[in-house]
Coordinates of all heavy atoms in Angstrom, one line a residue:
M429 N 198.6 -11.1 -7.7 CA 199.7 -11.9 -8.2 C 200.7 -10.9 -8.8 O 200.4 -10.0 -9.4 CB 199.2 -12.9 -9.3 CG 198.2 -13.8 -8.8 SD 198.9 -15.2 -7.9 CE 199.1 -16.4 -9.3
A430 N 202.0 -11.3 -8.5 CA 203.1 -10.4 -9.0 C 204.1 -11.3 -9.7 O 204.4 -12.4 -9.3 CB 203.7 -9.6 -7.9
K431 N 204.7 -10.7 -10.7 CA 205.9 -11.4 -11.3 C 207.1 -11.0 -10.4 O 207.3 -9.9 -10.1 CB 206.2 -10.9 -12.7 CG 207.3 -11.6 -13.4 CD 207.2 -11.4 -14.9 CE 208.1 -12.4 -15.6 NZ 209.4 -11.9 -15.9
L432 N 207.7 -12.1 -9.8 CA 208.7 -11.9 -8.8 C 210.1 -12.3 -9.3 O 210.3 -13.4 -9.7 CB 208.3 -12.7 -7.5 CG 209.4 -12.6 -6.4 CD1 209.4 -11.2 -5.8 CD2 209.1 -13.7 -5.4
E433 N 211.0 -11.3 -9.2 CA 212.4 -11.5 -9.5 C 213.1 -11.4 -8.1 O 212.8 -10.5 -7.4 CB 212.8 -10.5 -10.5 CG 214.3 -10.6 -10.9 CD 214.6 -9.4 -11.8 OE1 213.7 -8.9 -12.6 OE2 215.7 -8.9 -11.7
C434 N 214.1 -12.3 -7.9 CA 214.8 -12.2 -6.6 C 216.3 -12.4 -6.8 O 216.7 -13.3 -7.4 CB 214.2 -13.2 -5.6 SG 215.2 -13.3 -4.1
H435 N 217.0 -11.4 -6.2 CA 218.5 -11.4 -6.4 C 219.2 -12.0 -5.2 O 220.4 -11.9 -5.1 CB 219.0 -10.0 -6.6 CG 218.4 -9.4 -7.9 ND1 218.9 -9.8 -9.2 CD2 217.5 -8.5 -8.1 CE1 218.2 -9.2 -10.1 NE2 217.3 -8.4 -9.5
V436 N 218.4 -12.6 -4.2 CA 219.0 -13.1 -3.0 C 219.5 -14.6 -3.3 O 218.9 -15.6 -3.0 CB 218.0 -13.1 -1.8 CG1 218.7 -13.5 -0.6 CG2 217.4 -11.8 -1.7
N437 N 220.7 -14.6 -4.0 CA 221.2 -16.0 -4.4 C 221.7 -16.8 -3.2 O 221.9 -18.0 -3.4 CB 222.3 -15.8 -5.4 CG 223.3 -14.8 -5.0 OD1 223.4 -14.4 -3.9 ND2 224.2 -14.4 -5.9
S438 N 221.7 -16.2 -2.0 CA 222.1 -17.0 -0.8 C 220.9 -17.7 -0.2 O 221.1 -18.4 0.8 CB 222.8 -16.1 0.2 OG 221.9 -15.0 0.5
C439 N 219.7 -17.4 -0.7 CA 218.5 -18.0 -0.1 C 218.3 -19.4 -0.7 O 218.4 -19.6 -1.9 CB 217.3 -17.1 -0.4 SG 215.7 -17.9 0.2
A440 N 217.9 -20.4 0.2 CA 217.7 -21.7 -0.3 C 216.5 -21.9 -1.2 O 216.4 -22.9 -1.9 CB 217.5 -22.7 1.0
N441 N 215.7 -20.9 -1.2 CA 214.5 -20.9 -2.1 C 214.8 -20.3 -3.5 O 213.8 -20.3 -4.3 CB 213.3 -20.2 -1.4 CG 212.9 -20.8 -0.1 OD1 212.8 -22.0 -0.1 ND2 212.6 -20.0 0.9
N442 N 216.0 -19.8 -3.7 CA 216.3 -19.1 -4.9 C 216.8 -20.1 -6.0 O 217.6 -21.0 -5.7 CB 217.3 -18.0 -4.7 CG 217.5 -17.1 -5.8 OD1 217.9 -17.4 -6.9 ND2 216.9 -15.9 -5.6
S443 N 216.3 -19.9 -7.2 CA 216.8 -20.6 -8.4 C 217.0 -19.7 -9.6 O 216.0 -19.2 -10.1 CB 215.9 -21.7 -8.7 OG 216.4 -22.4 -9.9
N444 N 218.2 -19.3 -9.9 CA 218.4 -18.4 -11.0 C 217.6 -17.2 -11.1 O 217.0 -16.8 -12.1 CB 218.2 -19.2 -12.4 CG 219.2 -20.3 -12.5 OD1 220.4 -20.2 -12.2 ND2 218.7 -21.5 -13.0
Q445 N 217.6 -16.5 -9.9 CA 217.0 -15.2 -9.8 C 215.5 -15.3 -9.7 O 214.7 -14.3 -9.8 CB 217.3 -14.2 -11.0 CG 218.8 -14.1 -11.3 CD 219.5 -13.2 -10.3 OE1 219.2 -12.0 -10.2 NE2 220.5 -13.8 -9.7
F446 N 215.0 -16.5 -9.4 CA 213.5 -16.6 -9.2 C 213.3 -17.4 -7.9 O 214.3 -18.0 -7.4 CB 212.8 -17.4 -10.3 CG 212.8 -16.6 -11.6 CD1 213.6 -16.8 -12.7 CD2 211.8 -15.5 -11.7 CE1 213.6 -16.1 -13.8 CE2 211.8 -14.7 -12.9 CZ 212.6 -15.0 -13.9
C447 N 212.1 -17.3 -7.3 CA 211.8 -18.0 -6.1 C 211.0 -19.3 -6.4 O 210.1 -19.2 -7.2 CB 211.0 -17.0 -5.2 SG 210.6 -17.7 -3.6
C448 N 211.2 -20.3 -5.6 CA 210.5 -21.5 -5.9 C 209.3 -21.7 -4.9 O 208.6 -22.8 -5.0 CB 211.5 -22.7 -5.7 SG 212.8 -22.7 -6.8
L449 N 209.1 -20.8 -4.0 CA 208.0 -20.9 -3.1 C 206.7 -20.6 -3.8 O 206.7 -19.9 -4.8 CB 208.1 -20.0 -1.9 CG 209.3 -20.3 -0.9 CD1 209.4 -19.2 0.1 CD2 209.1 -21.7 -0.3
P450 N 205.5 -21.1 -3.3 CA 204.2 -20.8 -3.9 C 203.8 -19.4 -3.6 O 203.0 -18.8 -4.4 CB 203.3 -21.8 -3.3 CG 203.9 -22.3 -2.0 CD 205.4 -22.1 -2.3
N451 N 204.3 -18.8 -2.5 CA 204.0 -17.4 -2.2 C 205.1 -16.9 -1.2 O 205.8 -17.8 -0.6 CB 202.6 -17.3 -1.6 CG 202.4 -18.1 -0.4 OD1 203.0 -17.9 0.7 ND2 201.7 -19.2 -0.5
I452 N 205.2 -15.7 -1.0 CA 206.2 -15.1 0.0 C 205.5 -14.1 0.9 O 204.4 -13.6 0.5 CB 207.4 -14.6 -0.6 CG1 207.1 -13.3 -1.4 CG2 208.2 -15.6 -1.4 CD1 208.3 -12.4 -1.7
Q453 N 206.1 -13.8 2.0 CA 205.7 -12.7 2.9 C 206.8 -11.7 3.0 O 207.9 -12.0 3.2 CB 205.4 -13.3 4.3 CG 204.3 -14.3 4.4 CD 202.9 -13.6 4.2 OE1 202.7 -12.5 4.7 NE2 202.0 -14.2 3.5
V454 N 206.4 -10.4 2.9 CA 207.3 -9.3 3.0 C 207.0 -8.6 4.4 O 205.8 -8.3 4.7 CB 207.2 -8.3 1.8 CG1 208.1 -7.1 2.1 CG2 207.8 -9.0 0.6
S455 N 208.0 -8.3 5.1 CA 207.9 -7.7 6.4 C 208.4 -6.3 6.4 O 209.2 -5.9 5.6 CB 208.6 -8.4 7.5 OG 208.1 -9.8 7.5
G456 N 208.1 -5.5 7.5 CA 208.6 -4.2 7.7 C 207.4 -3.2 7.9 O 207.2 -2.3 7.2
A457 N 206.6 -3.5 8.9 CA 205.3 -2.8 9.1 C 205.5 -1.3 9.1 O 204.7 -0.6 8.6 CB 204.6 -3.3 10.3
M458 N 206.6 -0.9 9.7 CA 206.7 0.6 9.9 C 207.8 1.2 8.9 O 208.3 2.2 9.1 CB 207.2 0.9 11.3 CG 206.2 0.4 12.4 SD 204.5 0.9 12.1 CE 204.7 2.6 12.6
A459 N 208.1 0.4 7.8 CA 209.2 0.9 6.9 C 208.9 2.2 6.2 O 207.7 2.4 5.8 CB 209.4 -0.3 5.9
F460 N 209.9 3.0 6.1 CA 209.8 4.2 5.3 C 210.7 4.3 4.1 O 210.8 5.2 3.4 CB 210.0 5.4 6.2 CG 208.8 5.7 7.1 CD1 208.6 5.2 8.3 CD2 207.7 6.5 6.5 CE1 207.5 5.4 9.0 CE2 206.5 6.7 7.2 CZ 206.4 6.2 8.5
D461 N 211.6 3.2 4.0 CA 212.3 3.1 2.8 C 212.5 1.6 2.6 O 212.2 0.7 3.4 CB 213.6 3.9 2.8 CG 214.6 3.4 3.9 OD1 214.6 2.2 4.2 OD2 215.3 4.3 4.4
N462 N 213.1 1.2 1.4 CA 213.1 -0.2 1.1 C 214.0 -1.0 2.0 O 213.9 -2.2 2.2 CB 213.4 -0.5 -0.4 CG 214.8 -0.1 -0.8 OD1 215.7 -0.5 -0.2 ND2 214.9 0.7 -1.9
E463 N 215.0 -0.3 2.6 CA 216.0 -1.0 3.4 C 215.3 -1.5 4.7 O 215.9 -2.3 5.4 CB 217.2 -0.1 3.7 CG 218.0 0.1 2.5 CD 219.3 0.8 2.7 OE1 219.6 1.2 3.9 OE2 220.1 1.0 1.8
Q464 N 214.2 -0.9 5.0 CA 213.5 -1.3 6.3 C 212.5 -2.4 6.0 O 211.7 -2.8 6.9 CB 212.8 -0.1 6.9 CG 213.9 0.9 7.4 CD 213.2 2.2 7.9 OE1 212.2 2.7 7.3 NE2 213.8 2.8 8.9
T465 N 212.5 -2.9 4.8 CA 211.6 -4.1 4.4 C 212.5 -5.3 4.3 O 213.7 -5.2 4.2 CB 210.9 -3.8 3.1 OG1 211.8 -3.9 2.0 CG2 210.2 -2.5 3.1
C466 N 211.9 -6.5 4.4 CA 212.7 -7.7 4.1 C 211.7 -8.8 3.7 O 210.5 -8.8 3.9 CB 213.5 -8.1 5.3 SG 212.5 -8.8 6.7
C467 N 212.3 -9.8 3.0 CA 211.6 -11.0 2.7 C 211.6 -11.9 3.9 O 212.6 -12.5 4.3 CB 212.1 -11.7 1.5 SG 211.3 -13.3 1.1
S468 N 210.4 -12.1 4.6 CA 210.4 -12.9 5.8 C 210.4 -14.4 5.4 O 210.4 -15.3 6.3 CB 209.3 -12.5 6.7 OG 208.1 -12.5 6.1
S469 N 210.3 -14.7 4.2 CA 210.3 -16.2 3.7 C 211.7 -16.6 3.5 O 211.9 -17.8 3.1 CB 209.4 -16.3 2.5 OG 208.1 -15.9 2.7
Y470 N 212.7 -15.7 3.6 CA 214.1 -16.1 3.4 C 214.5 -17.3 4.2 O 214.2 -17.3 5.4 CB 215.0 -14.9 3.7 CG 216.5 -15.2 3.8 CD1 217.3 -15.1 2.6 CD2 217.1 -15.6 5.0 CE1 218.6 -15.4 2.7 CE2 218.4 -15.9 5.1 CZ 219.2 -15.8 3.9 OH 220.5 -16.1 4.0
V471 N 215.2 -18.2 3.7 CA 215.8 -19.4 4.4 C 217.3 -19.5 4.0 O 217.6 -19.6 2.8 CB 215.0 -20.7 4.1 CG1 215.7 -21.9 4.8 CG2 213.6 -20.6 4.5
S472 N 218.1 -19.4 5.0 CA 219.6 -19.6 4.7 C 219.8 -21.0 4.2 O 219.2 -21.9 4.6 CB 220.5 -19.2 5.9 OG 220.4 -20.2 6.9
M473 N 221.0 -21.2 3.5 CA 221.4 -22.5 3.1 C 221.6 -23.4 4.4 O 221.3 -24.6 4.4 CB 222.7 -22.5 2.3 CG 222.5 -21.7 1.0 SD 221.5 -22.6 -0.2 CE 221.6 -21.6 -1.6
Q474 N 222.2 -22.7 5.4 CA 222.5 -23.5 6.6 C 221.2 -24.0 7.3 O 221.1 -25.1 7.7 CB 223.3 -22.5 7.5 CG 223.9 -23.2 8.7 CD 224.7 -22.3 9.6 OE1 224.4 -21.1 9.6 NE2 225.6 -22.8 10.3
Q475 N 220.2 -23.1 7.4 CA 218.9 -23.5 8.0 C 218.3 -24.6 7.2 O 217.8 -25.6 7.7 CB 217.9 -22.3 8.0 CG 218.2 -21.2 8.9 CD 217.2 -20.0 8.7 OE1 217.2 -19.4 7.6 NE2 216.4 -19.7 9.7
A476 N 218.4 -24.5 5.8 CA 217.8 -25.5 5.0 C 218.5 -26.9 5.2 O 217.9 -27.9 5.2 CB 217.9 -25.1 3.5
S477 N 219.8 -26.8 5.4 CA 220.5 -28.1 5.5 C 220.1 -28.8 6.9 O 220.1 -30.0 6.9 CB 222.1 -27.9 5.5 OG 222.5 -27.2 6.6
F478 N 219.9 -28.0 7.9 CA 219.4 -28.6 9.1 C 218.0 -29.3 9.0 O 217.7 -30.3 9.6 CB 219.3 -27.5 10.3 CG 220.6 -27.2 10.8 CD1 221.0 -25.8 11.0 CD2 221.5 -28.1 11.3 CE1 222.2 -25.4 11.5 CE2 222.7 -27.7 11.8 CZ 223.1 -26.4 11.9
S479 N 217.2 -28.7 8.1 CA 215.9 -29.3 7.9 C 215.8 -30.2 6.7 O 214.7 -30.6 6.2 CB 214.8 -28.2 7.8 OG 215.1 -27.4 6.7
N480 N 217.0 -30.6 6.2 CA 217.1 -31.5 5.0 C 216.3 -30.9 3.8 O 215.9 -31.7 3.0 CB 216.5 -32.9 5.4 CG 217.4 -33.6 6.3 OD1 218.6 -33.5 6.2 ND2 216.8 -34.3 7.2
A481 N 216.2 -29.6 3.7 CA 215.5 -29.0 2.6 C 216.4 -28.6 1.5 O 215.9 -28.1 0.4 CB 214.7 -27.8 3.1
V482 N 217.7 -28.8 1.6 CA 218.6 -28.4 0.5 C 218.3 -29.1 -0.8 O 218.0 -30.3 -0.7 CB 220.1 -28.6 0.9 CG1 221.0 -28.7 -0.3 CG2 220.6 -27.5 1.9
G483 N 218.2 -28.4 -1.8 CA 218.0 -29.1 -3.1 C 216.5 -29.2 -3.4 O 216.1 -29.6 -4.5
T484 N 215.6 -28.8 -2.5 CA 214.2 -28.8 -2.8 C 213.7 -27.7 -3.7 O 212.7 -27.8 -4.3 CB 213.3 -28.8 -1.6 OG1 213.6 -27.6 -0.8 CG2 213.6 -30.0 -0.6
C485 N 214.6 -26.7 -3.9 CA 214.2 -25.6 -4.8 C 214.7 -25.9 -6.1 O 215.8 -25.6 -6.5 CB 214.8 -24.3 -4.2 SG 214.5 -22.9 -5.3
S486 N 213.8 -26.3 -7.0 CA 214.2 -26.7 -8.3 C 213.4 -26.1 -9.4 O 213.7 -25.9 -10.5 CB 214.3 -28.2 -8.5 OG 213.1 -28.8 -8.1
V487 N 212.1 -25.8 -9.0 CA 211.2 -25.3 -10.0 C 210.8 -23.8 -9.7 O 210.1 -23.5 -8.8 CB 209.9 -26.1 -10.0 CG1 208.9 -25.6 -11.1 CG2 210.2 -27.6 -10.3
P488 N 211.4 -22.9 -10.4 CA 211.1 -21.5 -10.1 C 209.7 -21.1 -10.4 O 209.0 -21.6 -11.3 CB 212.0 -20.7 -11.2 CG 213.0 -21.7 -11.6 CD 212.3 -23.1 -11.5
N489 N 209.1 -20.3 -9.5 CA 207.7 -19.8 -9.6 C 207.8 -18.4 -9.9 O 208.0 -17.6 -9.0 CB 207.0 -20.1 -8.3 CG 205.5 -19.8 -8.4 OD1 205.0 -19.7 -9.4 ND2 204.9 -19.6 -7.2
E490 N 207.5 -18.0 -11.2 CA 207.8 -16.6 -11.6 C 206.7 -15.7 -11.2 O 206.8 -14.5 -11.1 CB 208.0 -16.5 -13.1 CG 209.3 -17.3 -13.5 CD 209.6 -17.2 -15.0 OE1 209.2 -16.2 -15.6 OE2 210.3 -18.1 -15.5
V491 N 205.5 -16.2 -11.0 CA 204.3 -15.3 -10.7 C 203.6 -15.9 -9.4 O 203.3 -17.1 -9.4 CB 203.3 -15.3 -11.8 CG1 202.1 -14.4 -11.4 CG2 204.0 -14.7 -13.1
M492 N 203.4 -15.1 -8.4 CA 202.8 -15.6 -7.1 C 202.2 -14.5 -6.4 O 202.4 -13.3 -6.6 CB 204.0 -16.2 -6.3 CG 205.0 -15.1 -5.8 SD 206.2 -15.8 -4.7 CE 207.2 -16.9 -5.8
P493 N 201.3 -14.8 -5.5 CA 200.8 -13.9 -4.5 C 201.8 -13.5 -3.5 O 202.5 -14.4 -3.0 CB 199.6 -14.6 -3.9 CG 199.8 -16.1 -4.0 CD 200.7 -16.2 -5.2
I494 N 201.8 -12.2 -3.1 CA 202.8 -11.8 -2.1 C 202.0 -11.1 -1.0 O 201.3 -10.1 -1.2 CB 203.8 -10.7 -2.7 CG1 204.6 -11.4 -3.8 CG2 204.7 -10.2 -1.6 CD1 205.5 -10.4 -4.6
G495 N 202.1 -11.7 0.2 CA 201.6 -11.0 1.4 C 202.5 -10.0 1.9 O 203.7 -10.2 1.9
C496 N 202.1 -8.9 2.4 CA 203.0 -7.8 2.7 C 202.4 -7.0 3.9 O 201.3 -6.6 4.0 CB 203.2 -6.9 1.6 SG 204.4 -5.6 2.0
Q497 N 203.3 -6.8 4.9 CA 203.0 -6.0 6.1 C 203.3 -4.5 6.0 O 203.2 -3.8 7.0 CB 203.7 -6.6 7.3 CG 203.3 -8.1 7.6 CD 204.2 -8.6 8.8 OE1 205.2 -8.0 9.1 NE2 203.7 -9.7 9.3
V498 N 203.9 -4.1 4.9 CA 204.5 -2.8 4.8 C 203.4 -1.8 4.5 O 202.9 -1.6 3.4 CB 205.6 -2.7 3.7 CG1 206.1 -1.3 3.7 CG2 206.7 -3.7 4.0
Q499 N 202.9 -1.2 5.6 CA 201.7 -0.3 5.4 C 201.9 0.9 4.6 O 201.0 1.5 4.1 CB 201.2 0.0 6.9 CG 200.8 -1.2 7.7 CD 200.5 -0.8 9.1 OE1 200.6 0.3 9.6 NE2 200.4 -1.9 10.0
N500 N 203.2 1.4 4.6 CA 203.5 2.6 4.0 C 203.8 2.5 2.5 O 204.2 3.5 1.9 CB 204.6 3.3 4.8 CG 204.8 4.8 4.4 OD1 203.8 5.5 4.2 ND2 206.1 5.2 4.3
C501 N 203.7 1.4 2.0 CA 203.9 1.2 0.5 C 202.6 1.4 -0.3 O 201.6 0.9 0.1 CB 204.5 -0.2 0.2 SG 204.8 -0.5 -1.5
S502 N 202.8 2.2 -1.3 CA 201.6 2.5 -2.2 C 201.1 1.3 -2.9 O 199.9 1.3 -3.4 CB 201.9 3.6 -3.1 OG 203.0 3.2 -3.9
Y503 N 201.8 0.2 -2.9 CA 201.3 -1.0 -3.6 C 200.6 -1.9 -2.6 O 200.0 -3.0 -3.0 CB 202.4 -1.8 -4.2 CG 203.1 -1.1 -5.4 CD1 204.4 -0.7 -5.4 CD2 202.4 -0.9 -6.6 CE1 205.0 0.0 -6.4 CE2 203.0 -0.2 -7.7 CZ 204.3 0.2 -7.6 OH 204.8 0.8 -8.6
N504 N 200.6 -1.6 -1.4 CA 199.9 -2.5 -0.4 C 198.4 -2.3 -0.4 O 197.9 -1.2 -0.3 CB 200.4 -2.2 1.0 CG 200.1 -3.3 2.0 OD1 199.0 -3.8 2.0 ND2 201.1 -3.7 2.8
A505 N 197.7 -3.4 -0.7 CA 196.3 -3.4 -0.8 C 195.7 -4.4 0.3 O 195.5 -5.6 0.0 CB 195.8 -3.9 -2.1
G506 N 195.6 -3.8 1.5 CA 195.0 -4.6 2.6 C 195.8 -5.9 3.0 O 195.3 -6.9 3.3
G507 N 197.2 -5.7 2.9 CA 198.0 -6.9 3.2 C 198.5 -7.7 2.1 O 199.2 -8.7 2.3
D508 N 198.0 -7.4 0.9 CA 198.4 -8.1 -0.3 C 199.2 -7.1 -1.2 O 198.8 -5.9 -1.3 CB 197.2 -8.7 -1.1 CG 196.5 -9.7 -0.3 OD1 197.2 -10.5 0.3 OD2 195.3 -9.7 -0.4
C509 N 200.2 -7.6 -1.9 CA 200.9 -6.7 -2.8 C 200.2 -6.6 -4.1 O 199.9 -7.6 -4.7 CB 202.3 -7.2 -3.0 SG 203.3 -6.2 -4.2
A510 N 199.9 -5.4 -4.6 CA 199.2 -5.2 -5.9 C 200.1 -4.8 -7.0 O 199.6 -4.5 -8.1 CB 198.1 -4.1 -5.6
A511 N 201.4 -4.8 -6.8 CA 202.3 -4.5 -7.9 C 202.4 -5.6 -8.9 O 202.2 -6.7 -8.5 CB 203.8 -4.2 -7.3
S512 N 202.6 -5.3 -10.2 CA 202.6 -6.3 -11.2 C 203.9 -7.0 -11.3 O 204.1 -8.1 -11.6 CB 202.1 -5.8 -12.5 OG 202.9 -4.7 -12.9
N513 N 205.0 -6.3 -10.9 CA 206.4 -6.7 -10.9 C 207.0 -6.4 -9.6 O 207.0 -5.2 -9.2 CB 207.2 -6.1 -12.0 CG 206.7 -6.6 -13.4 OD1 207.1 -7.6 -13.9 ND2 205.8 -5.8 -14.0
V514 N 207.6 -7.4 -8.9 CA 208.3 -7.1 -7.7 C 209.7 -7.6 -7.7 O 210.0 -8.7 -8.3 CB 207.5 -7.7 -6.5 CG1 208.3 -7.7 -5.2 CG2 206.2 -7.0 -6.3
C515 N 210.7 -6.9 -7.1 CA 212.0 -7.3 -7.1 C 212.6 -7.3 -5.7 O 212.5 -6.3 -5.0 CB 212.9 -6.4 -8.0 SG 214.6 -6.9 -8.1
I516 N 213.0 -8.5 -5.3 CA 213.6 -8.6 -4.0 C 215.1 -8.6 -4.1 O 215.7 -9.3 -5.0 CB 213.2 -10.0 -3.3 CG1 211.7 -10.1 -3.1 CG2 213.9 -10.1 -1.9 CD1 211.0 -9.1 -2.2
G517 N 215.8 -7.7 -3.3 CA 217.2 -7.5 -3.4 C 217.9 -8.0 -2.2 O 217.3 -8.3 -1.1
G518 N 219.2 -8.1 -2.3 CA 220.0 -8.6 -1.1 C 221.0 -9.7 -1.5 O 221.1 -10.7 -0.9
S519 N 221.7 -9.5 -2.6 CA 222.6 -10.5 -3.1 C 223.7 -10.7 -2.0 O 224.3 -9.8 -1.4 CB 223.3 -9.9 -4.4 OG 224.3 -10.8 -4.8
G520 N 223.9 -12.0 -1.6 CA 224.9 -12.3 -0.6 C 224.3 -12.1 0.8 O 225.1 -12.2 1.8
A521 N 223.0 -11.9 1.0 CA 222.5 -11.7 2.3 C 222.7 -13.0 3.2 O 222.7 -14.1 2.7 CB 221.0 -11.5 2.2
S522 N 223.1 -12.7 4.5 CA 223.3 -13.9 5.4 C 222.1 -14.1 6.4 O 222.1 -15.0 7.2 CB 224.6 -13.8 6.1 OG 224.6 -12.6 6.8
R523 N 221.1 -13.2 6.3 CA 220.0 -13.3 7.1 C 218.9 -12.5 6.5 O 219.1 -11.6 5.6 CB 220.2 -12.8 8.6 CG 220.7 -11.4 8.6 CD 221.2 -11.0 10.0 NE 221.7 -9.7 10.0 CZ 221.1 -8.6 10.1 NH1 219.7 -8.6 10.2 NH2 221.6 -7.4 10.1
K524 N 217.6 -12.8 6.9 CA 216.5 -12.2 6.2 C 216.5 -10.6 6.3 O 216.0 -9.9 5.4 CB 215.2 -12.7 6.7 CG 214.8 -12.4 8.1 CD 213.4 -13.0 8.5 CE 213.4 -14.5 8.5 NZ 212.2 -15.1 9.0
G525 N 217.0 -10.1 7.4 CA 217.1 -8.6 7.5 C 218.0 -7.9 6.5 O 218.0 -6.7 6.4
E526 N 218.8 -8.7 5.8 CA 219.7 -8.1 4.8 C 219.0 -8.2 3.4 O 219.6 -7.8 2.4 CB 221.0 -8.8 4.8 CG 221.8 -8.5 6.0 CD 223.1 -9.4 6.2 OE1 223.3 -10.2 5.3 OE2 223.8 -9.1 7.2
T527 N 217.8 -8.7 3.3 CA 217.0 -8.6 2.1 C 216.1 -7.4 2.1 O 215.9 -6.8 3.1 CB 216.2 -9.9 1.9 OG1 215.2 -9.9 2.9 CG2 217.1 -11.2 2.1
S528 N 215.6 -7.0 0.9 CA 214.7 -5.9 1.0 C 213.8 -6.0 -0.3 O 214.2 -6.5 -1.3 CB 215.4 -4.6 1.0 OG 216.2 -4.4 -0.1
C529 N 212.6 -5.3 -0.2 CA 211.8 -5.2 -1.4 C 212.2 -4.0 -2.2 O 211.8 -2.8 -1.7 CB 210.3 -5.2 -1.0 SG 209.3 -5.0 -2.5
L530 N 212.8 -4.1 -3.3 CA 213.3 -2.9 -4.0 C 212.2 -2.2 -4.8 O 212.4 -1.1 -5.3 CB 214.3 -3.4 -5.1 CG 215.6 -4.1 -4.5 CD1 216.6 -4.5 -5.6 CD2 216.3 -3.2 -3.5
T531 N 211.0 -2.8 -4.8 CA 209.8 -2.2 -5.5 C 209.1 -1.3 -4.5 O 208.2 -0.5 -5.0 CB 208.9 -3.3 -6.0 OG1 209.8 -4.2 -6.8 CG2 207.8 -2.8 -6.9
F532 N 209.4 -1.3 -3.3 CA 208.7 -0.4 -2.3 C 208.6 1.0 -2.8 O 209.6 1.6 -3.3 CB 209.6 -0.4 -1.0 CG 209.1 0.7 0.0 CD1 208.1 0.4 0.9 CD2 209.7 1.9 0.0 CE1 207.7 1.4 1.8 CE2 209.3 2.9 0.9 CZ 208.4 2.7 1.8
R533 N 207.5 1.6 -2.7 CA 207.3 3.0 -3.1 C 206.4 3.6 -2.0 O 205.3 3.2 -1.7 CB 206.6 3.1 -4.4 CG 206.6 4.5 -5.0 CD 206.0 4.6 -6.3 NE 204.5 4.3 -6.3 CZ 203.8 4.2 -7.4 NH1 204.3 4.3 -8.6 NH2 202.5 3.9 -7.3
A534 N 207.0 4.6 -1.3 CA 206.3 5.3 -0.2 C 205.1 6.0 -0.6 O 205.0 6.5 -1.8 CB 207.3 6.3 0.5
Q535 N 204.1 5.9 0.2 CA 202.8 6.6 -0.2 C 202.9 8.1 -0.1 O 203.7 8.6 0.7 CB 201.7 6.2 0.8 CG 201.2 4.8 0.6 CD 200.1 4.4 1.6 OE1 199.9 5.1 2.6 NE2 199.5 3.3 1.3
Ligands
SF4_1011 S1 214.7 -14.2 -0.5 FE1 212.4 -14.5 -0.5 S2 211.8 -14.2 -2.6 FE2 214.0 -14.5 -2.6 S3 214.2 -16.7 -3.0 FE3 214.2 -16.4 -0.7 S4 212.1 -16.7 -0.1 FE4 212.1 -16.4 -2.3
SF4_1012 S1 206.0 -3.5 -3.5 FE1 205.2 -2.7 -1.6 S2 203.4 -3.9 -1.1 FE2 204.6 -5.0 -2.7 S3 205.8 -6.5 -1.5 FE3 207.1 -4.6 -1.8 S4 206.8 -3.4 0.0 FE4 205.1 -4.9 -0.1

């Protein structure tokens, strides 16, 4: 479990710098820096409006389990993130590839 802060204010799951999902997945299996990682749970406002999900993000979830594919991060413990605090960046991102895990630390 990690305390998760998220600056992706363009994501439909974001509420005041926190995420409302019960858990997230971080991608970037071959990443060697944080820019090659991303939050694969990102949902654009446009995507959310198509699925009538707009407005469902109301209760921020500050602590959650994070699944992670980034093998080269020192916090990766068999596909789970073992960091106590994680920060997802990408203010103004228009797609998941523009988000990143700022807590990434190369092994
Ligand atoms: S970008 Fe990821 S961590 Fe941030 S609010 Fe969206 S789903 Fe949650
Ligand atoms: S800190 Fe490392 S292990 Fe945790 S989510 Fe970010 S990239 Fe994955």
Side-chain angles (χ1 to χ4, degrees):
M429 301 280 269
K431 186 161 194 269
L432 177 70
E433 181 184 325
C434 177
H435 298 286
V436 188
N437 48 13
S438 59
C439 176
N441 297 318
N442 193 292
S443 177
N444 295 322
Q445 313 278 304
F446 292 104
C447 182
C448 297
L449 293 176
N451 56 71
I452 63 162
Q453 294 288 323
V454 171
S455 303
M458 305 306 289
F460 282 93
D461 61 35
N462 69 53
E463 291 187 357
Q464 295 173 322
T465 69
C466 74
C467 176
S468 53
S469 302
Y470 168 91
V471 176
S472 70
M473 297 291 184
Q474 192 179 27
Q475 285 173 302
S477 67
F478 282 132
S479 63
N480 292 324
V482 161
T484 57
C485 180
S486 56
V487 183
N489 185 19
E490 297 185 23
V491 179
M492 66 174 72
I494 300 175
C496 183
Q497 298 175 344
V498 184
Q499 297 169 8
N500 193 39
C501 179
S502 57
Y503 293 114
N504 196 314
D508 296 320
C509 178
S512 52
N513 292 276
V514 169
C515 183
I516 301 293
S519 176
S522 57
R523 56 188 176 83
K524 66 178 68 171
E526 294 174 355
T527 68
S528 63
C529 178
L530 301 179
T531 308
F532 169 89
R533 190 175 68 186
Q535 286 183 345

